[in-house]
Amino acid sequence: MAYRSGCHTTFHHRYHLVWAPKYRYKVLIGDVRLRVREIIRQVCAEMGVTIINGALSKDHVHMFVEIPPHVSVADFVRRAKGRSSRKIQQEFEHIRKRYWG
């Protein structure tokens, strides 16, 4: 068990996060899958979150992450889901049409 430390803290906060696209559509395939992975890695790098293990299935995302104490779990999940959804719908027309008609 490896503890990490900051200026005034020592922590070992690890979380198993799972989320699914709306209506659990199987949209995480091909280029969309690669782009979602890249976006989530960018968000993790910006927030100082370490990805320990992760998997993208066709209809859900699994992540085992270590989140520093100054970042709340809700803020990290909000930013990862929100940014990936927004960027995917901007870049892939078929995804936007599937969800928004």
Side-chain angles (χ1 to χ4, degrees), residues 59-71:
D59 63 347
H60 63 280
V61 178
H62 280 276
M63 292 181 71
F64 188 56
V65 293
E66 183 171 1
I67 300 177
H70 67 275
V71 177

Side-chain angles (χ1 to χ4, degrees), residues 1-2 7-8 10 15 24 31 36 45 50 61-62 66 73-74 86 88 91 95-96 98 101:
M1 190 160 55
C7 293
H8 301 285
T10 300
Y15 302 94
R24 206 163 177 108
D31 291 337
V36 167
T50 304
V61 178
H62 280 276
E66 183 171 1
V73 178
R86 180 171 161 75
I88 292 301
E91 295 172 12
I95 301 290
R96 182 173 49 232
R98 178 161 199 159

Side-chain angles (χ1 to χ4, degrees), residues 36 39 80-90 95 100:
V36 167
I39 292 167
K81 287 177 66 175
R83 186 175 301 171
S84 63
S85 174
R86 180 171 161 75
K87 294 229 183 225
I88 292 301
Q89 288 187 31
Q90 286 176 344
I95 301 290
W100 295 103

Side-chain angles (χ1 to χ4, degrees), residues 17-20 28 35-47 49 51 56 61-63 65 67 71-88:
L17 306 172
V18 180
W19 72 84
L28 299 174
R35 185 64 178 131
V36 167
R37 178 178 289 165
E38 182 181 320
I39 292 167
I40 290 174
R41 285 182 180 162
Q42 288 173 355
V43 170
C44 288
E46 289 173 10
M47 299 184 81
V49 174
I51 300 173
L56 281 166
V61 178
H62 280 276
M63 292 181 71
V65 293
I67 300 177
V71 177
S72 74
V73 178
D75 284 342
F76 168 69
V77 173
R78 177 182 50 85
R79 193 169 297 174
K81 287 177 66 175
R83 186 175 301 171
S84 63
S85 174
R86 180 171 161 75
K87 294 229 183 225
I88 292 301

Side-chain angles (χ1 to χ4, degrees), residues 10-35:
T10 300
F11 61 95
H12 185 72
H13 299 163
R14 293 181 174 200
Y15 302 94
H16 181 220
L17 306 172
V18 180
W19 72 84
K22 192 173 182 181
Y23 309 124
R24 206 163 177 108
Y25 285 149
K26 296 178 184 348
V27 295
L28 299 174
I29 53 175
D31 291 337
V32 175
R33 177 190 200 106
L34 297 175
R35 185 64 178 131

